Amino acid sequence: GAGVSQSPSNKVTEKGKDVELRCDPISGHTALYWYRQSLGQGLEFLIYFQGNSAPDKSGLPSDRFSAERTGGSVSTLTIQRTQQEDSAVYLCASSPRPGDEKLFFGSGTQLSVL
Amino acid sequence: SQQGEEDPQALSIQEGENATMNCSYKTSINNLQWYRQNSGRGLVHLILIRSNEREKHSGRLRVTLDTSKKSSSLLITASRAADTASYFCATDLNQAGTALIFGKGTTLSVSS
């Protein structure tokens, strides 16, 4: 597709379970970002991949959160032992190159932890 | 910590009126961007202004940047009901290869 694709669009899970969220960036985009948005709040930066460089993980809230980007394309955000406070919309974005360009966002994954 | 902070948090106007939203940030930047979000899902890029620019226009949008005050404003002229959305400013940290940091946004409601 032409845009950033995220799956699933909605995920309901039980507290303590692990979840995986997927992001397919726009083809050729070297930079990929994950953000989290709680209800009525702004975007919280989580992690940033830029080409072949080491990712910027400074925004990950705890060691239960991890992300990888395979082959410089698809990215997976994994949350282990989910907690109710993890409930939020998880947004992925990509850009043609790191730094000085606009971001293209996916529609997000709404995660609900019961 | 939050780099950008929008003001006001919420704004309600009538169709045809102008809407002005402000963004303040803390550190020096390379550029500042404004994004729009409908229904709490994906954001759409509106406009980018670089640190050496003072004003930029795109259709009914006008953005200003004052680096001495570390602030920016977004003006939407002749607003329409379809402009109802949340608007966010985003800044980098004037370092190569850093992620954009977003503010908490201004929620704009335009009634007909």
Side-chain angles (χ1 to χ4, degrees), chain A residues 37 40-44, chain B residues 1-11 20-26 32-37 43 46 70-75 85-91 100-108:
Chain A
Q37 185 177 31
Q41 299 298 310
L43 275 69
E44 176 187 5
Chain B
S1 62
Q2 212 75 28
Q3 162 73 328
E5 190 166 320
E6 292 88 346
D7 168 61
Q9 290 186 341
L11 180 61
T20 299
M21 288 159 269
N22 302 296
C23 170
S24 59
Y25 57 92
K26 297 177 183 177
L32 184 144
Q33 303 181 40
W34 285 91
Y35 287 78
R36 166 191 167 128
Q37 184 181 40
L43 280 73
L46 294 176
K70 292 188 171 57
S71 68
S72 172
S73 67
L74 170 67
L75 169 67
S86 293
Y87 293 82
F88 295 87
C89 68
T91 54
L100 288 185
I101 306 299
F102 286 78
K104 293 186 177 181
T106 292
T107 300
L108 174 65

mmCIF file of all heavy atoms in Angstrom, chain A residues 37 40-44, chain B residues 1-11 20-26 32-37 43 46 70-75 85-91 100-108:
data_model
loop_
_atom_site.group_PDB
_atom_site.id
_atom_site.type_symbol
_atom_site.label_atom_id
_atom_site.label_comp_id
_atom_site.label_asym_id
_atom_site.label_seq_id
_atom_site.Cartn_x
_atom_site.Cartn_y
_atom_site.Cartn_z
ATOM 1 N N GLN A 37 -0.258 7.173 22.692
ATOM 2 C CA GLN A 37 -1.174 8.265 23.024
ATOM 3 C C GLN A 37 -2.276 7.731 23.916
ATOM 4 O O GLN A 37 -3.104 6.923 23.485
ATOM 5 C CB GLN A 37 -1.762 8.878 21.752
ATOM 6 C CG GLN A 37 -2.625 10.100 22.011
ATOM 7 C CD GLN A 37 -3.141 10.733 20.744
ATOM 8 O OE1 GLN A 37 -3.375 10.053 19.743
ATOM 9 N NE2 GLN A 37 -3.307 12.051 20.745
ATOM 10 N N GLY A 40 -7.108 11.360 25.242
ATOM 11 C CA GLY A 40 -7.126 12.798 25.451
ATOM 12 C C GLY A 40 -5.770 13.429 25.716
ATOM 13 O O GLY A 40 -5.708 14.609 26.095
ATOM 14 N N GLN A 41 -4.717 12.683 25.489
ATOM 15 C CA GLN A 41 -3.372 13.191 25.771
ATOM 16 C C GLN A 41 -2.565 13.394 24.494
ATOM 17 O O GLN A 41 -3.010 13.043 23.401
ATOM 18 C CB GLN A 41 -2.625 12.219 26.695
ATOM 19 C CG GLN A 41 -3.294 12.015 28.038
ATOM 20 C CD GLN A 41 -3.364 13.289 28.837
ATOM 21 O OE1 GLN A 41 -2.379 13.999 29.004
ATOM 22 N NE2 GLN A 41 -4.546 13.620 29.340
ATOM 23 N N GLY A 42 -1.397 13.955 24.652
ATOM 24 C CA GLY A 42 -0.496 14.122 23.531
ATOM 25 C C GLY A 42 0.236 12.835 23.209
ATOM 26 O O GLY A 42 -0.018 11.784 23.791
ATOM 27 N N LEU A 43 1.148 12.917 22.258
ATOM 28 C CA LEU A 43 1.919 11.752 21.854
ATOM 29 C C LEU A 43 3.159 11.619 22.720
ATOM 30 O O LEU A 43 3.919 12.557 22.900
ATOM 31 C CB LEU A 43 2.338 11.873 20.389
ATOM 32 C CG LEU A 43 1.323 11.412 19.356
ATOM 33 C CD1 LEU A 43 0.135 12.343 19.301
ATOM 34 C CD2 LEU A 43 1.983 11.285 17.994
ATOM 35 N N GLU A 44 3.370 10.414 23.213
ATOM 36 C CA GLU A 44 4.540 10.096 24.025
ATOM 37 C C GLU A 44 5.513 9.308 23.163
ATOM 38 O O GLU A 44 5.179 8.225 22.663
ATOM 39 C CB GLU A 44 4.114 9.278 25.241
ATOM 40 C CG GLU A 44 5.253 8.807 26.109
ATOM 41 C CD GLU A 44 4.801 7.849 27.203
ATOM 42 O OE1 GLU A 44 3.595 7.489 27.215
ATOM 43 O OE2 GLU A 44 5.632 7.431 28.025
ATOM 44 N N SER B 1 10.553 14.646 29.045
ATOM 45 C CA SER B 1 9.819 15.873 29.324
ATOM 46 C C SER B 1 9.257 16.417 28.016
ATOM 47 O O SER B 1 9.759 16.112 26.938
ATOM 48 C CB SER B 1 10.722 16.907 29.975
ATOM 49 O OG SER B 1 11.781 17.242 29.101
ATOM 50 N N GLN B 2 8.218 17.240 28.120
ATOM 51 C CA GLN B 2 7.550 17.759 26.937
ATOM 52 C C GLN B 2 8.392 18.862 26.330
ATOM 53 O O GLN B 2 8.803 19.799 27.006
ATOM 54 C CB GLN B 2 6.168 18.300 27.359
ATOM 55 C CG GLN B 2 5.114 18.174 26.315
ATOM 56 C CD GLN B 2 4.611 16.748 26.155
ATOM 57 O OE1 GLN B 2 4.633 15.967 27.093
ATOM 58 N NE2 GLN B 2 4.169 16.397 24.971
ATOM 59 N N GLN B 3 8.647 18.786 25.031
ATOM 60 C CA GLN B 3 9.397 19.839 24.366
ATOM 61 C C GLN B 3 8.466 20.950 23.943
ATOM 62 O O GLN B 3 8.757 22.119 24.122
ATOM 63 C CB GLN B 3 10.131 19.250 23.154
ATOM 64 C CG GLN B 3 10.615 20.235 22.121
ATOM 65 C CD GLN B 3 11.807 21.059 22.561
ATOM 66 O OE1 GLN B 3 11.971 21.364 23.727
ATOM 67 N NE2 GLN B 3 12.632 21.443 21.618
ATOM 68 N N GLY B 4 7.324 20.576 23.332
ATOM 69 C CA GLY B 4 6.380 21.569 22.868
ATOM 70 C C GLY B 4 5.122 21.560 23.705
ATOM 71 O O GLY B 4 4.699 20.516 24.185
ATOM 72 N N GLU B 5 4.546 22.729 23.872
ATOM 73 C CA GLU B 5 3.310 22.824 24.639
ATOM 74 C C GLU B 5 2.382 23.780 23.929
ATOM 75 O O GLU B 5 2.720 24.941 23.694
ATOM 76 C CB GLU B 5 3.616 23.313 26.054
ATOM 77 C CG GLU B 5 2.436 23.204 26.995
ATOM 78 C CD GLU B 5 2.845 23.355 28.442
ATOM 79 O OE1 GLU B 5 3.893 22.820 28.813
ATOM 80 O OE2 GLU B 5 2.108 24.021 29.194
ATOM 81 N N GLU B 6 1.167 23.298 23.604
ATOM 82 C CA GLU B 6 0.215 24.116 22.874
ATOM 83 C C GLU B 6 -0.693 24.891 23.822
ATOM 84 O O GLU B 6 -0.973 24.463 24.945
ATOM 85 C CB GLU B 6 -0.655 23.244 21.942
ATOM 86 C CG GLU B 6 0.085 22.622 20.773
ATOM 87 C CD GLU B 6 0.698 21.301 21.130
ATOM 88 O OE1 GLU B 6 0.793 20.980 22.335
ATOM 89 O OE2 GLU B 6 1.075 20.560 20.216
ATOM 90 N N ASP B 7 -1.196 25.981 23.305
ATOM 91 C CA ASP B 7 -2.090 26.844 24.066
ATOM 92 C C ASP B 7 -3.050 27.493 23.075
ATOM 93 O O ASP B 7 -2.601 27.991 22.039
ATOM 94 C CB ASP B 7 -1.262 27.903 24.806
ATOM 95 C CG ASP B 7 -2.112 29.001 25.375
ATOM 96 O OD1 ASP B 7 -2.979 28.692 26.220
ATOM 97 O OD2 ASP B 7 -1.936 30.150 24.969
ATOM 98 N N PRO B 8 -4.375 27.511 23.293
ATOM 99 C CA PRO B 8 -5.039 26.916 24.465
ATOM 100 C C PRO B 8 -5.174 25.406 24.339
ATOM 101 O O PRO B 8 -4.899 24.841 23.284
ATOM 102 C CB PRO B 8 -6.403 27.590 24.426
ATOM 103 C CG PRO B 8 -6.665 27.775 22.965
ATOM 104 C CD PRO B 8 -5.332 28.124 22.376
ATOM 105 N N GLN B 9 -5.637 24.744 25.380
ATOM 106 C CA GLN B 9 -5.885 23.311 25.309
ATOM 107 C C GLN B 9 -7.115 23.019 24.472
ATOM 108 O O GLN B 9 -7.174 21.994 23.791
ATOM 109 C CB GLN B 9 -6.082 22.731 26.705
ATOM 110 C CG GLN B 9 -4.813 22.700 27.539
ATOM 111 C CD GLN B 9 -5.006 21.976 28.857
ATOM 112 O OE1 GLN B 9 -6.130 21.798 29.319
ATOM 113 N NE2 GLN B 9 -3.918 21.553 29.479
ATOM 114 N N ALA B 10 -8.097 23.929 24.539
ATOM 115 C CA ALA B 10 -9.319 23.739 23.763
ATOM 116 C C ALA B 10 -9.791 25.089 23.260
ATOM 117 O O ALA B 10 -9.617 26.120 23.919
ATOM 118 C CB ALA B 10 -10.404 23.084 24.618
ATOM 119 N N LEU B 11 -10.397 25.076 22.074
ATOM 120 C CA LEU B 11 -10.845 26.302 21.420
ATOM 121 C C LEU B 11 -12.134 26.009 20.669
ATOM 122 O O LEU B 11 -12.192 25.059 19.878
ATOM 123 C CB LEU B 11 -9.757 26.781 20.448
ATOM 124 C CG LEU B 11 -10.000 28.054 19.656
ATOM 125 C CD1 LEU B 11 -10.183 29.238 20.593
ATOM 126 C CD2 LEU B 11 -8.830 28.298 18.708
ATOM 127 N N THR B 20 -6.592 30.639 16.216
ATOM 128 C CA THR B 20 -5.161 30.777 16.461
ATOM 129 C C THR B 20 -4.741 29.860 17.603
ATOM 130 O O THR B 20 -5.337 29.885 18.682
ATOM 131 C CB THR B 20 -4.785 32.222 16.818
ATOM 132 O OG1 THR B 20 -5.138 33.081 15.720
ATOM 133 C CG2 THR B 20 -3.289 32.332 17.067
ATOM 134 N N MET B 21 -3.717 29.062 17.335
ATOM 135 C CA MET B 21 -3.157 28.168 18.341
ATOM 136 C C MET B 21 -1.682 28.477 18.491
ATOM 137 O O MET B 21 -1.015 28.815 17.507
ATOM 138 C CB MET B 21 -3.331 26.707 17.903
ATOM 139 C CG MET B 21 -4.747 26.235 17.975
ATOM 140 S SD MET B 21 -5.060 24.805 16.929
ATOM 141 C CE MET B 21 -5.568 25.607 15.416
ATOM 142 N N ASN B 22 -1.195 28.365 19.711
ATOM 143 C CA ASN B 22 0.196 28.697 19.984
ATOM 144 C C ASN B 22 0.957 27.489 20.503
ATOM 145 O O ASN B 22 0.375 26.577 21.095
ATOM 146 C CB ASN B 22 0.260 29.818 21.029
ATOM 147 C CG ASN B 22 -0.481 31.045 20.575
ATOM 148 O OD1 ASN B 22 -0.137 31.677 19.597
ATOM 149 N ND2 ASN B 22 -1.562 31.373 21.290
ATOM 150 N N CYS B 23 2.259 27.511 20.261
ATOM 151 C CA CYS B 23 3.127 26.422 20.700
ATOM 152 C C CYS B 23 4.392 27.036 21.262
ATOM 153 O O CYS B 23 5.006 27.901 20.621
ATOM 154 C CB CYS B 23 3.455 25.514 19.524
ATOM 155 S SG CYS B 23 4.736 24.281 19.831
ATOM 156 N N SER B 24 4.764 26.618 22.460
ATOM 157 C CA SER B 24 6.033 27.054 23.029
ATOM 158 C C SER B 24 6.920 25.830 23.211
ATOM 159 O O SER B 24 6.434 24.725 23.466
ATOM 160 C CB SER B 24 5.804 27.753 24.371
ATOM 161 O OG SER B 24 5.155 26.888 25.275
ATOM 162 N N TYR B 25 8.221 26.028 23.067
ATOM 163 C CA TYR B 25 9.159 24.915 23.205
ATOM 164 C C TYR B 25 10.348 25.371 24.030
ATOM 165 O O TYR B 25 10.495 26.562 24.339
ATOM 166 C CB TYR B 25 9.578 24.393 21.827
ATOM 167 C CG TYR B 25 10.202 25.417 20.903
ATOM 168 C CD1 TYR B 25 11.569 25.619 20.864
ATOM 169 C CD2 TYR B 25 9.401 26.185 20.059
ATOM 170 C CE1 TYR B 25 12.140 26.548 20.023
ATOM 171 C CE2 TYR B 25 9.957 27.125 19.214
ATOM 172 C CZ TYR B 25 11.327 27.304 19.197
ATOM 173 O OH TYR B 25 11.886 28.241 18.358
ATOM 174 N N LYS B 26 11.194 24.407 24.395
ATOM 175 C CA LYS B 26 12.203 24.707 25.413
ATOM 176 C C LYS B 26 13.616 24.851 24.875
ATOM 177 O O LYS B 26 14.386 25.663 25.369
ATOM 178 C CB LYS B 26 12.179 23.609 26.477
ATOM 179 C CG LYS B 26 10.862 23.519 27.227
ATOM 180 C CD LYS B 26 10.864 22.364 28.206
ATOM 181 C CE LYS B 26 9.517 22.243 28.906
ATOM 182 N NZ LYS B 26 9.471 21.072 29.812
ATOM 183 N N LEU B 32 10.095 23.239 13.075
ATOM 184 C CA LEU B 32 8.890 23.011 13.866
ATOM 185 C C LEU B 32 7.784 22.630 12.895
ATOM 186 O O LEU B 32 7.673 23.218 11.810
ATOM 187 C CB LEU B 32 8.510 24.267 14.652
ATOM 188 C CG LEU B 32 7.310 24.159 15.604
ATOM 189 C CD1 LEU B 32 7.547 24.994 16.859
ATOM 190 C CD2 LEU B 32 6.017 24.558 14.936
ATOM 191 N N GLN B 33 7.009 21.640 13.273
ATOM 192 C CA GLN B 33 5.956 21.150 12.398
ATOM 193 C C GLN B 33 4.615 21.207 13.123
ATOM 194 O O GLN B 33 4.554 21.102 14.346
ATOM 195 C CB GLN B 33 6.251 19.707 11.964
ATOM 196 C CG GLN B 33 7.599 19.540 11.280
ATOM 197 C CD GLN B 33 7.850 18.116 10.849
ATOM 198 O OE1 GLN B 33 6.961 17.433 10.374
ATOM 199 N NE2 GLN B 33 9.098 17.667 11.002
ATOM 200 N N TRP B 34 3.554 21.324 12.353
ATOM 201 C CA TRP B 34 2.189 21.235 12.872
ATOM 202 C C TRP B 34 1.499 20.045 12.224
ATOM 203 O O TRP B 34 1.621 19.819 11.007
ATOM 204 C CB TRP B 34 1.412 22.518 12.586
ATOM 205 C CG TRP B 34 1.809 23.661 13.473
ATOM 206 C CD1 TRP B 34 2.770 24.600 13.233
ATOM 207 C CD2 TRP B 34 1.232 23.996 14.740
ATOM 208 N NE1 TRP B 34 2.833 25.491 14.275
ATOM 209 C CE2 TRP B 34 1.903 25.150 15.211
ATOM 210 C CE3 TRP B 34 0.211 23.447 15.529
ATOM 211 C CZ2 TRP B 34 1.588 25.751 16.439
ATOM 212 C CZ3 TRP B 34 -0.100 24.049 16.739
ATOM 213 C CH2 TRP B 34 0.584 25.184 17.181
ATOM 214 N N TYR B 35 0.767 19.307 13.066
ATOM 215 C CA TYR B 35 0.028 18.140 12.619
ATOM 216 C C TYR B 35 -1.413 18.259 13.081
ATOM 217 O O TYR B 35 -1.716 18.920 14.077
ATOM 218 C CB TYR B 35 0.616 16.849 13.201
ATOM 219 C CG TYR B 35 1.930 16.429 12.590
ATOM 220 C CD1 TYR B 35 3.121 17.049 12.965
ATOM 221 C CD2 TYR B 35 1.985 15.419 11.640
ATOM 222 C CE1 TYR B 35 4.330 16.670 12.396
ATOM 223 C CE2 TYR B 35 3.192 15.025 11.069
ATOM 224 C CZ TYR B 35 4.357 15.656 11.462
ATOM 225 O OH TYR B 35 5.549 15.275 10.902
ATOM 226 N N ARG B 36 -2.266 17.549 12.376
ATOM 227 C CA ARG B 36 -3.692 17.520 12.689
ATOM 228 C C ARG B 36 -4.094 16.067 12.943
ATOM 229 O O ARG B 36 -3.615 15.157 12.266
ATOM 230 C CB ARG B 36 -4.458 18.081 11.500
ATOM 231 C CG ARG B 36 -5.950 17.829 11.507
ATOM 232 C CD ARG B 36 -6.538 18.198 10.169
ATOM 233 N NE ARG B 36 -7.871 17.701 10.039
ATOM 234 C CZ ARG B 36 -8.915 18.454 9.691
ATOM 235 N NH1 ARG B 36 -8.738 19.740 9.422
ATOM 236 N NH2 ARG B 36 -10.105 17.915 9.598
ATOM 237 N N GLN B 37 -5.011 15.864 13.910
ATOM 238 C CA GLN B 37 -5.479 14.527 14.227
ATOM 239 C C GLN B 37 -6.992 14.530 14.342
ATOM 240 O O GLN B 37 -7.561 15.281 15.130
ATOM 241 C CB GLN B 37 -4.867 14.021 15.536
ATOM 242 C CG GLN B 37 -5.247 12.589 15.877
ATOM 243 C CD GLN B 37 -4.650 12.133 17.191
ATOM 244 O OE1 GLN B 37 -4.601 12.878 18.158
ATOM 245 N NE2 GLN B 37 -4.172 10.889 17.234
ATOM 246 N N LEU B 43 -2.079 10.895 12.658
ATOM 247 C CA LEU B 43 -1.873 12.324 12.469
ATOM 248 C C LEU B 43 -1.514 12.614 11.020
ATOM 249 O O LEU B 43 -0.888 11.797 10.337
ATOM 250 C CB LEU B 43 -0.735 12.823 13.363
ATOM 251 C CG LEU B 43 -1.070 13.086 14.825
ATOM 252 C CD1 LEU B 43 -1.248 11.792 15.580
ATOM 253 C CD2 LEU B 43 0.013 13.936 15.471
ATOM 254 N N LEU B 46 0.705 19.018 8.446
ATOM 255 C CA LEU B 46 0.126 20.223 7.858
ATOM 256 C C LEU B 46 1.189 21.116 7.242
ATOM 257 O O LEU B 46 1.092 21.516 6.080
ATOM 258 C CB LEU B 46 -0.643 21.015 8.915
ATOM 259 C CG LEU B 46 -1.886 20.353 9.497
ATOM 260 C CD1 LEU B 46 -2.484 21.230 10.594
ATOM 261 C CD2 LEU B 46 -2.910 20.072 8.410
ATOM 262 N N LYS B 70 11.062 31.288 21.414
ATOM 263 C CA LYS B 70 10.817 29.847 21.368
ATOM 264 C C LYS B 70 9.315 29.582 21.294
ATOM 265 O O LYS B 70 8.740 28.857 22.128
ATOM 266 C CB LYS B 70 11.442 29.139 22.563
ATOM 267 C CG LYS B 70 12.973 29.154 22.560
ATOM 268 C CD LYS B 70 13.540 28.268 23.662
ATOM 269 C CE LYS B 70 15.043 28.116 23.527
ATOM 270 N NZ LYS B 70 15.789 29.376 23.527
ATOM 271 N N SER B 71 8.691 30.183 20.290
ATOM 272 C CA SER B 71 7.250 29.997 20.152
ATOM 273 C C SER B 71 6.840 30.029 18.691
ATOM 274 O O SER B 71 7.530 30.599 17.839
ATOM 275 C CB SER B 71 6.495 31.070 20.933
ATOM 276 O OG SER B 71 6.694 32.338 20.337
ATOM 277 N N SER B 72 5.695 29.411 18.424
ATOM 278 C CA SER B 72 5.128 29.371 17.088
ATOM 279 C C SER B 72 3.625 29.513 17.211
ATOM 280 O O SER B 72 3.035 29.187 18.245
ATOM 281 C CB SER B 72 5.462 28.031 16.419
ATOM 282 O OG SER B 72 4.774 27.877 15.190
ATOM 283 N N SER B 73 3.015 30.022 16.151
ATOM 284 C CA SER B 73 1.559 30.077 16.133
ATOM 285 C C SER B 73 1.042 29.515 14.822
ATOM 286 O O SER B 73 1.693 29.623 13.784
ATOM 287 C CB SER B 73 1.055 31.510 16.319
ATOM 288 O OG SER B 73 1.401 32.300 15.190
ATOM 289 N N LEU B 74 -0.127 28.887 14.911
ATOM 290 C CA LEU B 74 -0.829 28.366 13.735
ATOM 291 C C LEU B 74 -2.145 29.112 13.633
ATOM 292 O O LEU B 74 -2.939 29.092 14.573
ATOM 293 C CB LEU B 74 -1.078 26.870 13.869
ATOM 294 C CG LEU B 74 -2.006 26.241 12.811
ATOM 295 C CD1 LEU B 74 -1.356 26.278 11.437
ATOM 296 C CD2 LEU B 74 -2.368 24.796 13.186
ATOM 297 N N LEU B 75 -2.359 29.763 12.517
ATOM 298 C CA LEU B 75 -3.604 30.478 12.259
ATOM 299 C C LEU B 75 -4.360 29.762 11.149
ATOM 300 O O LEU B 75 -3.805 29.507 10.082
ATOM 301 C CB LEU B 75 -3.312 31.926 11.840
ATOM 302 C CG LEU B 75 -4.495 32.732 11.279
ATOM 303 C CD1 LEU B 75 -5.531 32.981 12.362
ATOM 304 C CD2 LEU B 75 -4.010 34.045 10.674
ATOM 305 N N ALA B 85 -10.792 19.265 14.931
ATOM 306 C CA ALA B 85 -9.752 18.254 15.087
ATOM 307 C C ALA B 85 -8.849 18.682 16.229
ATOM 308 O O ALA B 85 -9.034 19.755 16.817
ATOM 309 C CB ALA B 85 -8.928 18.104 13.801
ATOM 310 N N SER B 86 -7.857 17.851 16.533
ATOM 311 C CA SER B 86 -6.801 18.249 17.460
ATOM 312 C C SER B 86 -5.563 18.615 16.666
ATOM 313 O O SER B 86 -5.247 17.965 15.662
ATOM 314 C CB SER B 86 -6.476 17.110 18.427
ATOM 315 O OG SER B 86 -7.562 16.866 19.299
ATOM 316 N N TYR B 87 -4.880 19.657 17.097
ATOM 317 C CA TYR B 87 -3.709 20.164 16.394
ATOM 318 C C TYR B 87 -2.506 20.101 17.321
ATOM 319 O O TYR B 87 -2.571 20.529 18.478
ATOM 320 C CB TYR B 87 -3.962 21.602 15.920
ATOM 321 C CG TYR B 87 -5.026 21.673 14.862
ATOM 322 C CD1 TYR B 87 -6.379 21.676 15.211
ATOM 323 C CD2 TYR B 87 -4.700 21.695 13.504
ATOM 324 C CE1 TYR B 87 -7.377 21.705 14.236
ATOM 325 C CE2 TYR B 87 -5.689 21.729 12.532
ATOM 326 C CZ TYR B 87 -7.017 21.732 12.901
ATOM 327 O OH TYR B 87 -7.996 21.756 11.946
ATOM 328 N N PHE B 88 -1.411 19.548 16.800
ATOM 329 C CA PHE B 88 -0.206 19.351 17.593
ATOM 330 C C PHE B 88 0.986 20.025 16.930
ATOM 331 O O PHE B 88 1.125 19.969 15.704
ATOM 332 C CB PHE B 88 0.126 17.856 17.709
ATOM 333 C CG PHE B 88 -0.891 17.051 18.455
ATOM 334 C CD1 PHE B 88 -1.987 16.510 17.804
ATOM 335 C CD2 PHE B 88 -0.741 16.812 19.813
ATOM 336 C CE1 PHE B 88 -2.932 15.770 18.485
ATOM 337 C CE2 PHE B 88 -1.682 16.061 20.505
ATOM 338 C CZ PHE B 88 -2.774 15.543 19.843
ATOM 339 N N CYS B 89 1.841 20.624 17.733
ATOM 340 C CA CYS B 89 3.128 21.051 17.216
ATOM 341 C C CYS B 89 4.160 19.991 17.568
ATOM 342 O O CYS B 89 4.010 19.262 18.546
ATOM 343 C CB CYS B 89 3.540 22.419 17.752
ATOM 344 S SG CYS B 89 3.934 22.473 19.516
ATOM 345 N N ALA B 90 5.183 19.905 16.753
ATOM 346 C CA ALA B 90 6.238 18.917 16.958
ATOM 347 C C ALA B 90 7.576 19.554 16.644
ATOM 348 O O ALA B 90 7.710 20.272 15.657
ATOM 349 C CB ALA B 90 6.013 17.690 16.073
ATOM 350 N N THR B 91 8.555 19.291 17.489
ATOM 351 C CA THR B 91 9.879 19.863 17.299
ATOM 352 C C THR B 91 10.930 18.778 17.392
ATOM 353 O O THR B 91 10.739 17.752 18.055
ATOM 354 C CB THR B 91 10.173 20.928 18.369
ATOM 355 O OG1 THR B 91 9.972 20.357 19.674
ATOM 356 C CG2 THR B 91 9.266 22.132 18.220
ATOM 357 N N LEU B 100 11.036 13.407 16.613
ATOM 358 C CA LEU B 100 10.178 14.548 16.868
ATOM 359 C C LEU B 100 9.484 14.384 18.209
ATOM 360 O O LEU B 100 9.039 13.291 18.552
ATOM 361 C CB LEU B 100 9.128 14.680 15.771
ATOM 362 C CG LEU B 100 9.582 15.161 14.406
ATOM 363 C CD1 LEU B 100 8.380 15.343 13.493
ATOM 364 C CD2 LEU B 100 10.367 16.454 14.502
ATOM 365 N N ILE B 101 9.392 15.471 18.937
ATOM 366 C CA ILE B 101 8.686 15.483 20.211
ATOM 367 C C ILE B 101 7.429 16.316 20.037
ATOM 368 O O ILE B 101 7.499 17.461 19.572
ATOM 369 C CB ILE B 101 9.564 16.063 21.333
ATOM 370 C CG1 ILE B 101 10.896 15.312 21.413
ATOM 371 C CG2 ILE B 101 8.822 15.999 22.662
ATOM 372 C CD1 ILE B 101 10.771 13.833 21.728
ATOM 373 N N PHE B 102 6.293 15.751 20.432
ATOM 374 C CA PHE B 102 4.999 16.397 20.240
ATOM 375 C C PHE B 102 4.503 17.026 21.531
ATOM 376 O O PHE B 102 4.781 16.540 22.633
ATOM 377 C CB PHE B 102 3.964 15.371 19.771
ATOM 378 C CG PHE B 102 4.139 14.953 18.337
ATOM 379 C CD1 PHE B 102 5.120 14.052 17.979
ATOM 380 C CD2 PHE B 102 3.314 15.473 17.353
ATOM 381 C CE1 PHE B 102 5.290 13.672 16.649
ATOM 382 C CE2 PHE B 102 3.469 15.090 16.025
ATOM 383 C CZ PHE B 102 4.463 14.191 15.671
ATOM 384 N N GLY B 103 3.735 18.108 21.376
ATOM 385 C CA GLY B 103 3.040 18.697 22.498
ATOM 386 C C GLY B 103 1.748 17.950 22.790
ATOM 387 O O GLY B 103 1.452 16.931 22.164
ATOM 388 N N LYS B 104 0.962 18.479 23.731
ATOM 389 C CA LYS B 104 -0.279 17.818 24.138
ATOM 390 C C LYS B 104 -1.457 18.179 23.256
ATOM 391 O O LYS B 104 -2.509 17.560 23.336
ATOM 392 C CB LYS B 104 -0.597 18.145 25.599
ATOM 393 C CG LYS B 104 0.399 17.542 26.575
ATOM 394 C CD LYS B 104 -0.021 17.757 28.010
ATOM 395 C CE LYS B 104 0.970 17.082 28.958
ATOM 396 N NZ LYS B 104 0.582 17.257 30.372
ATOM 397 N N GLY B 105 -1.300 19.196 22.427
ATOM 398 C CA GLY B 105 -2.314 19.498 21.437
ATOM 399 C C GLY B 105 -3.354 20.514 21.864
ATOM 400 O O GLY B 105 -3.582 20.746 23.055
ATOM 401 N N THR B 106 -3.971 21.116 20.858
ATOM 402 C CA THR B 106 -5.128 21.996 21.036
ATOM 403 C C THR B 106 -6.304 21.350 20.330
ATOM 404 O O THR B 106 -6.203 20.994 19.149
ATOM 405 C CB THR B 106 -4.873 23.386 20.419
ATOM 406 O OG1 THR B 106 -3.877 24.062 21.168
ATOM 407 C CG2 THR B 106 -6.153 24.216 20.411
ATOM 408 N N THR B 107 -7.409 21.192 21.058
ATOM 409 C CA THR B 107 -8.618 20.635 20.455
ATOM 410 C C THR B 107 -9.485 21.777 19.948
ATOM 411 O O THR B 107 -9.920 22.629 20.722
ATOM 412 C CB THR B 107 -9.405 19.800 21.486
ATOM 413 O OG1 THR B 107 -8.574 18.726 21.936
ATOM 414 C CG2 THR B 107 -10.663 19.225 20.850
ATOM 415 N N LEU B 108 -9.700 21.804 18.648
ATOM 416 C CA LEU B 108 -10.473 22.859 17.998
ATOM 417 C C LEU B 108 -11.847 22.328 17.622
ATOM 418 O O LEU B 108 -11.958 21.282 16.983
ATOM 419 C CB LEU B 108 -9.755 23.350 16.740
ATOM 420 C CG LEU B 108 -10.519 24.354 15.868
ATOM 421 C CD1 LEU B 108 -10.741 25.658 16.624
ATOM 422 C CD2 LEU B 108 -9.790 24.594 14.558
#
